[in-house]
Amino acid sequence: MEPKPASASSHAPMSRRTFVKTATIAGVSIAVMGLAGCAPAAKSDQQAGYAAGTYTAAAQGKFAPITVEMTFEDGSIASARVVKHEETEYISDRAIEEIPANIVEHQTLNIDTVTGSTLTSMAILTAAEDCVKQAGGDAKALKSNYEPPAKSTEVVDLEADVVVAGAGASGMAAAVCCAQRGAKVIVVEKSCNIGGNGLVCGGYLEYPEAPVELRPDMTEAQKAEVDSKIAAAEQSSIPASYLDELKRQWADWQASGETKCFDSAILESVEYNLPDCEDFDNSHQVTAREKDFGDWLVDSGFKFKETVGIVGYPWPRWAVPAEGRCGQSYFQFYDKAIENGCDVQVMLTTPATELITENNTVVGLVAVGEDGTTYNIRSKNGVVLATGGFSGNPDMLREYNQIWNWSDTQAIPTTNCYGHDGDGITMGLSVGCGLALMHLQMPFPFADCQNATDETTVGDDIDCVIVNKEGKRFMNEVLDRYTMTENIMAQPDQMMFMISDADTSRVEGDKNRYGRDMQNLIDQKQLYVADTIEDLAQQIGCDPTTLKETIDRYNEIARTGEDPDFGRTVFSELSPIENAPFYASPRTWAMHITTGGITTDVVGGYRALREDGTVIEGLRALGECACGMAGVAVMSQGLALAKDMFGE
């Protein structure tokens, strides 16, 4: 659900560790740059253009260098494998497995990149080319000595109870939840992996009324925040039954002596609907479904860490998986469900291209496989569009933009992984779907300056101070994402630094909170670390006196809880930045969420609607493909849809 007002949060101290600065790797960006290879492990007589032996080389992937090892013998490439990498699991798996194997099988470097894993693919091929050159081979010849097979012209007819377009958060949740109720489900996916943006987001699931043991201790500021929100709700149009229940819940919590943070699904609904609280019933139904989904996961054995606040949404009701990086654990959970008997067939690199209709009813879809095979998939219960939003489609962003001052030539970075181009919205328009809120395009204000991801972040989303390139604070750090982005766009080079310390860095050992290697981040200038604020200032290129004065001033504000400079009111005991080591994480904005999409009948199980509000039979839309929710919280829609289709 987006957007949402700010409130308070707190976090436990993180472990301390100092990292050594090393030489910067040149050319670190999304472009693939070859790095120097190592000497061969063994070497013998020249054979058919290769000096027999084992060679290694590395090339820059999306997050760090990817190291490839190749062995040459008997005049051929005997083996090739990736021996070191830091790419994203699921997204990179197929490239890491298949490209080296294809190099050996076909004795060539003329291998296609894997759809959805292009940067990883290119890095592997670049490193492999380096190994070939070390072995004395003709790399140029190996790029033209193999021709992939011609595309298939076969047409295959398939049938299912439900067909889902998109194997991301909402699509996989819908598929598994429908299959648990006895349905045969086919999922088609444009990319080479399941997971979509769920793999590259923080994995934070909004979970109202999460089990008490998952909640942090409540602060005095948070208690005042609840009182403030109830007071604001009293001046709104919230139905009296909800307000009375919220007051009862809050009074009961206060009387109980409970120390863990109070939460309520009604409180979340109030936050999303203030100041007017119009159409509160429907909005609260969405919130209640989030709680149901979180409970379903926990009841199924899924494990979460302690709930936290996140950038733009500080109330600590966001649960993150206890294991795995980002949102990977959700998809491991779905994989396991399928392995344990859920009848779900997932067809990767097989994008849906059009909907099949009969008598104004959607009865299936057409998808095209990587090998060219066309699949006509008919479904007894229609089609679920779950293809994601359009943050990766600059043309569509510009077409519907009413907020941002982009030039026609300005690049629009995105945090999204491959495939979020608005395909489902386009297919929906072809059968008459209505659209709404297409102009609400939310950037993420804490994106990496080099690769636009959130995964390289060091620093707490709430307990940090933000400065520009001059070392000056320029905004309230806990504003909504739209306002923060506007402020960042006004700064030199549209970038800033998140400044944190040992207590607020959220560093765990030698990894950041998303499991990224700290030393790689330092080497690639995606992170700066120092034992003093003055040294940190020199590293990031600002005046040491200016940054020191900024941090001292911020610490004074954080300790008093009063911010006359920018009006921030949310602080915790960890907010002051005063315990070495100190970290500066360079950040910028990148397009993150498109709130608009196909209009749906939320109460009726997300049925797609025409502009006049009538239902398009046989078509449903979930996640960012539809108007409304975003993030992994859209998984709750999959459970609700399954209940609507097949019952509890």
Side-chain angles (χ1 to χ4, degrees), residues 272-315:
Y272 274 113
N273 287 275
L274 285 173
D276 297 325
C277 290
E278 296 179 356
D279 196 23
F280 196 87
D281 287 326
N282 282 345
S283 177
H284 184 64
Q285 183 170 14
V286 172
T287 305
R289 287 173 178 175
E290 291 177 345
K291 178 187 181 317
D292 287 346
F293 183 77
D295 290 345
W296 173 70
L297 283 176
V298 170
D299 291 344
S300 300
F302 196 88
K303 302 297 183 183
F304 287 109
K305 296 179 183 178
E306 183 178 84
T307 57
V308 297
I310 63 173
V311 57
Y313 307 94
W315 198 260

mmCIF file of all heavy atoms in Angstrom, residues 272-315:
data_model
loop_
_atom_site.group_PDB
_atom_site.id
_atom_site.type_symbol
_atom_site.label_atom_id
_atom_site.label_comp_id
_atom_site.label_asym_id
_atom_site.label_seq_id
_atom_site.Cartn_x
_atom_site.Cartn_y
_atom_site.Cartn_z
ATOM 1 N N TYR A 272 -3.199 4.976 6.442
ATOM 2 C CA TYR A 272 -3.303 5.076 4.988
ATOM 3 C C TYR A 272 -4.400 6.022 4.542
ATOM 4 O O TYR A 272 -4.367 6.506 3.411
ATOM 5 C CB TYR A 272 -3.568 3.690 4.380
ATOM 6 C CG TYR A 272 -2.316 2.911 4.133
ATOM 7 C CD1 TYR A 272 -2.051 1.758 4.865
ATOM 8 C CD2 TYR A 272 -1.389 3.314 3.186
ATOM 9 C CE1 TYR A 272 -0.891 1.034 4.649
ATOM 10 C CE2 TYR A 272 -0.233 2.599 2.964
ATOM 11 C CZ TYR A 272 0.013 1.459 3.702
ATOM 12 O OH TYR A 272 1.161 0.753 3.483
ATOM 13 N N ASN A 273 -5.369 6.298 5.402
ATOM 14 C CA ASN A 273 -6.546 7.038 4.964
ATOM 15 C C ASN A 273 -6.676 8.444 5.532
ATOM 16 O O ASN A 273 -7.538 9.196 5.093
ATOM 17 C CB ASN A 273 -7.809 6.237 5.304
ATOM 18 C CG ASN A 273 -7.988 5.041 4.406
ATOM 19 O OD1 ASN A 273 -8.529 5.137 3.309
ATOM 20 N ND2 ASN A 273 -7.512 3.890 4.852
ATOM 21 N N LEU A 274 -5.857 8.798 6.520
ATOM 22 C CA LEU A 274 -5.920 10.166 7.019
ATOM 23 C C LEU A 274 -5.551 11.146 5.918
ATOM 24 O O LEU A 274 -4.694 10.850 5.082
ATOM 25 C CB LEU A 274 -4.962 10.332 8.215
ATOM 26 C CG LEU A 274 -5.415 9.708 9.538
ATOM 27 C CD1 LEU A 274 -4.302 9.805 10.572
ATOM 28 C CD2 LEU A 274 -6.687 10.366 10.065
ATOM 29 N N PRO A 275 -6.172 12.341 5.858
ATOM 30 C CA PRO A 275 -7.059 12.887 6.886
ATOM 31 C C PRO A 275 -8.540 12.567 6.684
ATOM 32 O O PRO A 275 -9.340 12.811 7.567
ATOM 33 C CB PRO A 275 -6.833 14.392 6.751
ATOM 34 C CG PRO A 275 -6.549 14.571 5.289
ATOM 35 C CD PRO A 275 -5.774 13.354 4.866
ATOM 36 N N ASP A 276 -8.926 12.039 5.528
ATOM 37 C CA ASP A 276 -10.350 11.938 5.221
ATOM 38 C C ASP A 276 -10.988 10.626 5.664
ATOM 39 O O ASP A 276 -12.146 10.586 6.077
ATOM 40 C CB ASP A 276 -10.578 12.119 3.714
ATOM 41 C CG ASP A 276 -10.161 13.494 3.243
ATOM 42 O OD1 ASP A 276 -10.339 14.445 4.015
ATOM 43 O OD2 ASP A 276 -9.652 13.588 2.110
ATOM 44 N N CYS A 277 -10.236 9.503 5.531
ATOM 45 C CA CYS A 277 -10.759 8.179 5.881
ATOM 46 C C CYS A 277 -12.023 7.832 5.088
ATOM 47 O O CYS A 277 -12.948 7.190 5.606
ATOM 48 C CB CYS A 277 -11.023 8.072 7.383
ATOM 49 S SG CYS A 277 -9.510 8.024 8.379
ATOM 50 N N GLU A 278 -12.084 8.250 3.839
ATOM 51 C CA GLU A 278 -13.206 7.880 2.991
ATOM 52 C C GLU A 278 -13.019 6.447 2.479
ATOM 53 O O GLU A 278 -11.897 5.959 2.361
ATOM 54 C CB GLU A 278 -13.325 8.857 1.820
ATOM 55 C CG GLU A 278 -13.650 10.284 2.257
ATOM 56 C CD GLU A 278 -13.727 11.235 1.077
ATOM 57 O OE1 GLU A 278 -13.448 10.794 -0.056
ATOM 58 O OE2 GLU A 278 -14.047 12.422 1.301
ATOM 59 N N ASP A 279 -14.095 5.776 2.164
ATOM 60 C CA ASP A 279 -14.069 4.402 1.672
ATOM 61 C C ASP A 279 -13.246 3.509 2.598
ATOM 62 O O ASP A 279 -12.456 2.667 2.163
ATOM 63 C CB ASP A 279 -13.501 4.366 0.244
ATOM 64 C CG ASP A 279 -13.816 3.056 -0.460
ATOM 65 O OD1 ASP A 279 -14.787 2.395 -0.068
ATOM 66 O OD2 ASP A 279 -13.081 2.692 -1.392
ATOM 67 N N PHE A 280 -13.435 3.707 3.896
ATOM 68 C CA PHE A 280 -12.604 3.031 4.887
ATOM 69 C C PHE A 280 -12.824 1.525 4.892
ATOM 70 O O PHE A 280 -11.882 0.753 5.109
ATOM 71 C CB PHE A 280 -12.891 3.608 6.280
ATOM 72 C CG PHE A 280 -11.852 3.259 7.304
ATOM 73 C CD1 PHE A 280 -10.726 4.045 7.469
ATOM 74 C CD2 PHE A 280 -11.993 2.130 8.108
ATOM 75 C CE1 PHE A 280 -9.760 3.727 8.413
ATOM 76 C CE2 PHE A 280 -11.036 1.807 9.051
ATOM 77 C CZ PHE A 280 -9.913 2.604 9.204
ATOM 78 N N ASP A 281 -14.053 1.084 4.640
ATOM 79 C CA ASP A 281 -14.344 -0.355 4.674
ATOM 80 C C ASP A 281 -13.475 -1.129 3.690
ATOM 81 O O ASP A 281 -12.860 -2.141 4.043
ATOM 82 C CB ASP A 281 -15.823 -0.602 4.364
ATOM 83 C CG ASP A 281 -16.735 -0.210 5.521
ATOM 84 O OD1 ASP A 281 -16.318 -0.363 6.679
ATOM 85 O OD2 ASP A 281 -17.858 0.248 5.257
ATOM 86 N N ASN A 282 -13.436 -0.660 2.434
ATOM 87 C CA ASN A 282 -12.633 -1.352 1.426
ATOM 88 C C ASN A 282 -11.151 -1.306 1.767
ATOM 89 O O ASN A 282 -10.418 -2.296 1.613
ATOM 90 C CB ASN A 282 -12.871 -0.744 0.048
ATOM 91 C CG ASN A 282 -14.176 -1.202 -0.561
ATOM 92 O OD1 ASN A 282 -14.782 -2.164 -0.111
ATOM 93 N ND2 ASN A 282 -14.626 -0.503 -1.590
ATOM 94 N N SER A 283 -10.697 -0.139 2.211
ATOM 95 C CA SER A 283 -9.287 -0.006 2.558
ATOM 96 C C SER A 283 -8.915 -0.941 3.699
ATOM 97 O O SER A 283 -7.863 -1.593 3.672
ATOM 98 C CB SER A 283 -8.982 1.444 2.947
ATOM 99 O OG SER A 283 -7.634 1.587 3.343
ATOM 100 N N HIS A 284 -9.781 -1.030 4.683
ATOM 101 C CA HIS A 284 -9.474 -1.892 5.821
ATOM 102 C C HIS A 284 -9.518 -3.364 5.436
ATOM 103 O O HIS A 284 -8.793 -4.189 6.019
ATOM 104 C CB HIS A 284 -10.448 -1.634 6.968
ATOM 105 C CG HIS A 284 -10.132 -2.418 8.196
ATOM 106 N ND1 HIS A 284 -8.962 -2.242 8.908
ATOM 107 C CD2 HIS A 284 -10.809 -3.418 8.833
ATOM 108 C CE1 HIS A 284 -8.937 -3.077 9.927
ATOM 109 N NE2 HIS A 284 -10.040 -3.809 9.903
ATOM 110 N N GLN A 285 -10.329 -3.701 4.448
ATOM 111 C CA GLN A 285 -10.355 -5.087 3.997
ATOM 112 C C GLN A 285 -8.988 -5.488 3.444
ATOM 113 O O GLN A 285 -8.516 -6.610 3.674
ATOM 114 C CB GLN A 285 -11.425 -5.291 2.935
ATOM 115 C CG GLN A 285 -11.547 -6.747 2.492
ATOM 116 C CD GLN A 285 -12.764 -6.991 1.622
ATOM 117 O OE1 GLN A 285 -13.380 -6.074 1.134
ATOM 118 N NE2 GLN A 285 -13.106 -8.248 1.423
ATOM 119 N N VAL A 286 -8.328 -4.573 2.741
ATOM 120 C CA VAL A 286 -6.982 -4.843 2.226
ATOM 121 C C VAL A 286 -6.015 -5.064 3.386
ATOM 122 O O VAL A 286 -5.195 -5.995 3.377
ATOM 123 C CB VAL A 286 -6.509 -3.680 1.334
ATOM 124 C CG1 VAL A 286 -5.045 -3.862 0.944
ATOM 125 C CG2 VAL A 286 -7.379 -3.585 0.087
ATOM 126 N N THR A 287 -6.086 -4.206 4.384
ATOM 127 C CA THR A 287 -5.211 -4.341 5.548
ATOM 128 C C THR A 287 -5.458 -5.659 6.270
ATOM 129 O O THR A 287 -4.512 -6.345 6.687
ATOM 130 C CB THR A 287 -5.441 -3.166 6.513
ATOM 131 O OG1 THR A 287 -5.257 -1.935 5.813
ATOM 132 C CG2 THR A 287 -4.472 -3.220 7.671
ATOM 133 N N ALA A 288 -6.724 -6.026 6.426
ATOM 134 C CA ALA A 288 -7.054 -7.293 7.083
ATOM 135 C C ALA A 288 -6.491 -8.479 6.301
ATOM 136 O O ALA A 288 -6.059 -9.482 6.891
ATOM 137 C CB ALA A 288 -8.571 -7.416 7.238
ATOM 138 N N ARG A 289 -6.473 -8.370 4.971
ATOM 139 C CA ARG A 289 -5.911 -9.451 4.153
ATOM 140 C C ARG A 289 -4.401 -9.561 4.356
ATOM 141 O O ARG A 289 -3.842 -10.662 4.307
ATOM 142 C CB ARG A 289 -6.247 -9.207 2.683
ATOM 143 C CG ARG A 289 -7.708 -9.457 2.347
ATOM 144 C CD ARG A 289 -8.045 -9.038 0.933
ATOM 145 N NE ARG A 289 -9.443 -9.341 0.616
ATOM 146 C CZ ARG A 289 -10.046 -9.005 -0.509
ATOM 147 N NH1 ARG A 289 -9.374 -8.333 -1.441
ATOM 148 N NH2 ARG A 289 -11.314 -9.327 -0.726
ATOM 149 N N GLU A 290 -3.746 -8.426 4.591
ATOM 150 C CA GLU A 290 -2.308 -8.477 4.886
ATOM 151 C C GLU A 290 -2.062 -9.267 6.166
ATOM 152 O O GLU A 290 -1.135 -10.087 6.234
ATOM 153 C CB GLU A 290 -1.750 -7.057 5.035
ATOM 154 C CG GLU A 290 -1.711 -6.258 3.756
ATOM 155 C CD GLU A 290 -1.228 -4.852 3.970
ATOM 156 O OE1 GLU A 290 -1.189 -4.387 5.134
ATOM 157 O OE2 GLU A 290 -0.886 -4.184 2.983
ATOM 158 N N LYS A 291 -2.876 -9.005 7.181
ATOM 159 C CA LYS A 291 -2.746 -9.750 8.431
ATOM 160 C C LYS A 291 -3.003 -11.238 8.199
ATOM 161 O O LYS A 291 -2.248 -12.095 8.689
ATOM 162 C CB LYS A 291 -3.713 -9.206 9.478
ATOM 163 C CG LYS A 291 -3.668 -9.963 10.807
ATOM 164 C CD LYS A 291 -4.742 -9.519 11.756
ATOM 165 C CE LYS A 291 -4.694 -10.252 13.090
ATOM 166 N NZ LYS A 291 -4.459 -11.684 13.011
ATOM 167 N N ASP A 292 -4.043 -11.568 7.439
ATOM 168 C CA ASP A 292 -4.356 -12.973 7.157
ATOM 169 C C ASP A 292 -3.181 -13.667 6.479
ATOM 170 O O ASP A 292 -2.849 -14.819 6.803
ATOM 171 C CB ASP A 292 -5.590 -13.073 6.263
ATOM 172 C CG ASP A 292 -6.878 -12.737 6.998
ATOM 173 O OD1 ASP A 292 -6.856 -12.693 8.242
ATOM 174 O OD2 ASP A 292 -7.900 -12.510 6.319
ATOM 175 N N PHE A 293 -2.558 -12.961 5.526
ATOM 176 C CA PHE A 293 -1.461 -13.581 4.798
ATOM 177 C C PHE A 293 -0.258 -13.798 5.704
ATOM 178 O O PHE A 293 0.372 -14.868 5.679
ATOM 179 C CB PHE A 293 -1.065 -12.723 3.597
ATOM 180 C CG PHE A 293 0.020 -13.348 2.765
ATOM 181 C CD1 PHE A 293 -0.271 -14.393 1.901
ATOM 182 C CD2 PHE A 293 1.334 -12.926 2.865
ATOM 183 C CE1 PHE A 293 0.731 -14.997 1.153
ATOM 184 C CE2 PHE A 293 2.333 -13.514 2.120
ATOM 185 C CZ PHE A 293 2.037 -14.556 1.260
ATOM 186 N N GLY A 294 0.076 -12.790 6.516
ATOM 187 C CA GLY A 294 1.189 -12.961 7.453
ATOM 188 C C GLY A 294 0.936 -14.108 8.405
ATOM 189 O O GLY A 294 1.840 -14.923 8.678
ATOM 190 N N ASP A 295 -0.304 -14.208 8.902
ATOM 191 C CA ASP A 295 -0.647 -15.321 9.799
ATOM 192 C C ASP A 295 -0.525 -16.663 9.084
ATOM 193 O O ASP A 295 -0.069 -17.659 9.672
ATOM 194 C CB ASP A 295 -2.075 -15.153 10.322
ATOM 195 C CG ASP A 295 -2.220 -13.991 11.302
ATOM 196 O OD1 ASP A 295 -1.190 -13.495 11.806
ATOM 197 O OD2 ASP A 295 -3.371 -13.578 11.549
ATOM 198 N N TRP A 296 -0.940 -16.696 7.811
ATOM 199 C CA TRP A 296 -0.842 -17.946 7.039
ATOM 200 C C TRP A 296 0.612 -18.383 6.901
ATOM 201 O O TRP A 296 0.936 -19.569 7.070
ATOM 202 C CB TRP A 296 -1.478 -17.745 5.662
ATOM 203 C CG TRP A 296 -1.303 -18.902 4.724
ATOM 204 C CD1 TRP A 296 -1.886 -20.133 4.809
ATOM 205 C CD2 TRP A 296 -0.470 -18.941 3.553
ATOM 206 N NE1 TRP A 296 -1.480 -20.934 3.761
ATOM 207 C CE2 TRP A 296 -0.609 -20.231 2.976
ATOM 208 C CE3 TRP A 296 0.361 -18.017 2.935
ATOM 209 C CZ2 TRP A 296 0.063 -20.603 1.817
ATOM 210 C CZ3 TRP A 296 1.039 -18.381 1.778
ATOM 211 C CH2 TRP A 296 0.884 -19.675 1.232
ATOM 212 N N LEU A 297 1.500 -17.434 6.620
ATOM 213 C CA LEU A 297 2.917 -17.777 6.515
ATOM 214 C C LEU A 297 3.450 -18.317 7.833
ATOM 215 O O LEU A 297 4.121 -19.358 7.873
ATOM 216 C CB LEU A 297 3.729 -16.549 6.091
ATOM 217 C CG LEU A 297 3.682 -16.133 4.621
ATOM 218 C CD1 LEU A 297 4.469 -14.842 4.419
ATOM 219 C CD2 LEU A 297 4.235 -17.224 3.713
ATOM 220 N N VAL A 298 3.171 -17.596 8.919
ATOM 221 C CA VAL A 298 3.669 -18.026 10.229
ATOM 222 C C VAL A 298 3.095 -19.395 10.599
ATOM 223 O O VAL A 298 3.816 -20.278 11.081
ATOM 224 C CB VAL A 298 3.317 -16.971 11.298
ATOM 225 C CG1 VAL A 298 3.610 -17.505 12.701
ATOM 226 C CG2 VAL A 298 4.104 -15.683 11.058
ATOM 227 N N ASP A 299 1.810 -19.586 10.352
ATOM 228 C CA ASP A 299 1.188 -20.881 10.649
ATOM 229 C C ASP A 299 1.783 -22.007 9.796
ATOM 230 O O ASP A 299 1.755 -23.180 10.193
ATOM 231 C CB ASP A 299 -0.321 -20.813 10.419
ATOM 232 C CG ASP A 299 -1.032 -19.929 11.428
ATOM 233 O OD1 ASP A 299 -0.431 -19.623 12.472
ATOM 234 O OD2 ASP A 299 -2.180 -19.526 11.157
ATOM 235 N N SER A 300 2.318 -21.648 8.626
ATOM 236 C CA SER A 300 2.934 -22.634 7.735
ATOM 237 C C SER A 300 4.393 -22.885 8.071
ATOM 238 O O SER A 300 5.070 -23.652 7.376
ATOM 239 C CB SER A 300 2.819 -22.164 6.279
ATOM 240 O OG SER A 300 1.465 -22.001 5.896
ATOM 241 N N GLY A 301 4.895 -22.224 9.114
ATOM 242 C CA GLY A 301 6.266 -22.455 9.549
ATOM 243 C C GLY A 301 7.272 -21.443 9.053
ATOM 244 O O GLY A 301 8.476 -21.584 9.311
ATOM 245 N N PHE A 302 6.818 -20.393 8.362
ATOM 246 C CA PHE A 302 7.737 -19.376 7.851
ATOM 247 C C PHE A 302 8.269 -18.544 9.016
ATOM 248 O O PHE A 302 7.523 -18.176 9.923
ATOM 249 C CB PHE A 302 7.010 -18.477 6.849
ATOM 250 C CG PHE A 302 7.921 -17.648 5.988
ATOM 251 C CD1 PHE A 302 8.415 -18.154 4.804
ATOM 252 C CD2 PHE A 302 8.283 -16.365 6.360
ATOM 253 C CE1 PHE A 302 9.259 -17.402 4.000
ATOM 254 C CE2 PHE A 302 9.122 -15.602 5.577
ATOM 255 C CZ PHE A 302 9.614 -16.122 4.388
ATOM 256 N N LYS A 303 9.568 -18.212 8.978
ATOM 257 C CA LYS A 303 10.216 -17.498 10.074
ATOM 258 C C LYS A 303 10.555 -16.058 9.674
ATOM 259 O O LYS A 303 11.069 -15.821 8.580
ATOM 260 C CB LYS A 303 11.501 -18.211 10.504
ATOM 261 C CG LYS A 303 11.293 -19.662 10.939
ATOM 262 C CD LYS A 303 10.400 -19.768 12.162
ATOM 263 C CE LYS A 303 10.276 -21.213 12.619
ATOM 264 N NZ LYS A 303 9.342 -21.359 13.770
ATOM 265 N N PHE A 304 10.250 -15.119 10.594
ATOM 266 C CA PHE A 304 10.575 -13.710 10.396
ATOM 267 C C PHE A 304 11.538 -13.225 11.469
ATOM 268 O O PHE A 304 11.577 -13.747 12.589
ATOM 269 C CB PHE A 304 9.309 -12.846 10.486
ATOM 270 C CG PHE A 304 8.392 -12.964 9.305
ATOM 271 C CD1 PHE A 304 7.169 -13.616 9.428
ATOM 272 C CD2 PHE A 304 8.733 -12.407 8.085
ATOM 273 C CE1 PHE A 304 6.301 -13.707 8.353
ATOM 274 C CE2 PHE A 304 7.875 -12.507 6.996
ATOM 275 C CZ PHE A 304 6.665 -13.149 7.128
ATOM 276 N N LYS A 305 12.286 -12.174 11.131
ATOM 277 C CA LYS A 305 13.049 -11.417 12.121
ATOM 278 C C LYS A 305 12.103 -10.441 12.827
ATOM 279 O O LYS A 305 10.936 -10.331 12.490
ATOM 280 C CB LYS A 305 14.177 -10.632 11.443
ATOM 281 C CG LYS A 305 15.243 -11.464 10.770
ATOM 282 C CD LYS A 305 16.284 -10.556 10.130
ATOM 283 C CE LYS A 305 17.341 -11.344 9.385
ATOM 284 N NZ LYS A 305 18.339 -10.461 8.715
ATOM 285 N N GLU A 306 12.648 -9.700 13.768
ATOM 286 C CA GLU A 306 11.876 -8.663 14.456
ATOM 287 C C GLU A 306 11.409 -7.602 13.468
ATOM 288 O O GLU A 306 12.136 -7.207 12.563
ATOM 289 C CB GLU A 306 12.746 -8.012 15.537
ATOM 290 C CG GLU A 306 12.026 -6.962 16.366
ATOM 291 C CD GLU A 306 12.917 -6.382 17.444
ATOM 292 O OE1 GLU A 306 13.692 -5.442 17.143
ATOM 293 O OE2 GLU A 306 12.853 -6.859 18.591
ATOM 294 N N THR A 307 10.181 -7.159 13.623
ATOM 295 C CA THR A 307 9.623 -6.158 12.714
ATOM 296 C C THR A 307 10.333 -4.818 12.890
ATOM 297 O O THR A 307 10.802 -4.479 13.980
ATOM 298 C CB THR A 307 8.115 -5.982 12.942
ATOM 299 O OG1 THR A 307 7.886 -5.624 14.305
ATOM 300 C CG2 THR A 307 7.363 -7.249 12.608
ATOM 301 N N VAL A 308 10.382 -4.059 11.785
ATOM 302 C CA VAL A 308 11.081 -2.777 11.772
ATOM 303 C C VAL A 308 10.268 -1.770 10.977
ATOM 304 O O VAL A 308 9.284 -2.102 10.321
ATOM 305 C CB VAL A 308 12.493 -2.906 11.144
ATOM 306 C CG1 VAL A 308 13.365 -3.833 11.960
ATOM 307 C CG2 VAL A 308 12.388 -3.398 9.692
ATOM 308 N N GLY A 309 10.707 -0.510 11.011
ATOM 309 C CA GLY A 309 10.219 0.491 10.081
ATOM 310 C C GLY A 309 11.139 0.543 8.880
ATOM 311 O O GLY A 309 12.284 0.097 8.935
ATOM 312 N N ILE A 310 10.642 1.068 7.767
ATOM 313 C CA ILE A 310 11.471 1.204 6.566
ATOM 314 C C ILE A 310 11.355 2.615 6.045
ATOM 315 O O ILE A 310 10.516 3.402 6.495
ATOM 316 C CB ILE A 310 11.066 0.187 5.468
ATOM 317 C CG1 ILE A 310 9.632 0.442 4.991
ATOM 318 C CG2 ILE A 310 11.222 -1.235 5.982
ATOM 319 C CD1 ILE A 310 9.231 -0.407 3.792
ATOM 320 N N VAL A 311 12.193 2.951 5.064
ATOM 321 C CA VAL A 311 12.234 4.306 4.556
ATOM 322 C C VAL A 311 10.851 4.736 4.065
ATOM 323 O O VAL A 311 10.233 4.092 3.239
ATOM 324 C CB VAL A 311 13.285 4.449 3.438
ATOM 325 C CG1 VAL A 311 13.038 3.498 2.293
ATOM 326 C CG2 VAL A 311 13.338 5.884 2.919
ATOM 327 N N GLY A 312 10.383 5.843 4.626
ATOM 328 C CA GLY A 312 9.083 6.376 4.268
ATOM 329 C C GLY A 312 7.936 5.796 5.075
ATOM 330 O O GLY A 312 6.839 6.352 5.065
ATOM 331 N N TYR A 313 8.167 4.687 5.786
ATOM 332 C CA TYR A 313 7.124 3.986 6.543
ATOM 333 C C TYR A 313 7.702 3.529 7.886
ATOM 334 O O TYR A 313 7.987 2.359 8.076
ATOM 335 C CB TYR A 313 6.592 2.798 5.741
ATOM 336 C CG TYR A 313 6.147 3.206 4.370
ATOM 337 C CD1 TYR A 313 7.005 3.116 3.273
ATOM 338 C CD2 TYR A 313 4.874 3.736 4.171
ATOM 339 C CE1 TYR A 313 6.595 3.536 2.020
ATOM 340 C CE2 TYR A 313 4.469 4.151 2.913
ATOM 341 C CZ TYR A 313 5.333 4.044 1.846
ATOM 342 O OH TYR A 313 4.935 4.465 0.609
ATOM 343 N N PRO A 314 7.857 4.451 8.820
ATOM 344 C CA PRO A 314 8.658 4.134 10.012
ATOM 345 C C PRO A 314 7.988 3.257 11.064
ATOM 346 O O PRO A 314 8.671 2.761 11.939
ATOM 347 C CB PRO A 314 8.960 5.529 10.604
ATOM 348 C CG PRO A 314 8.644 6.510 9.519
ATOM 349 C CD PRO A 314 7.558 5.887 8.721
ATOM 350 N N TRP A 315 6.643 3.081 11.037
ATOM 351 C CA TRP A 315 6.035 2.272 12.091
ATOM 352 C C TRP A 315 6.509 0.826 11.973
ATOM 353 O O TRP A 315 6.454 0.238 10.880
ATOM 354 C CB TRP A 315 4.508 2.334 12.025
ATOM 355 C CG TRP A 315 3.904 1.881 13.321
ATOM 356 C CD1 TRP A 315 3.377 0.668 13.602
ATOM 357 C CD2 TRP A 315 3.812 2.651 14.515
ATOM 358 N NE1 TRP A 315 2.953 0.613 14.906
ATOM 359 C CE2 TRP A 315 3.217 1.822 15.499
ATOM 360 C CE3 TRP A 315 4.187 3.956 14.863
ATOM 361 C CZ2 TRP A 315 2.976 2.261 16.798
ATOM 362 C CZ3 TRP A 315 3.939 4.392 16.160
ATOM 363 C CH2 TRP A 315 3.339 3.551 17.104
#
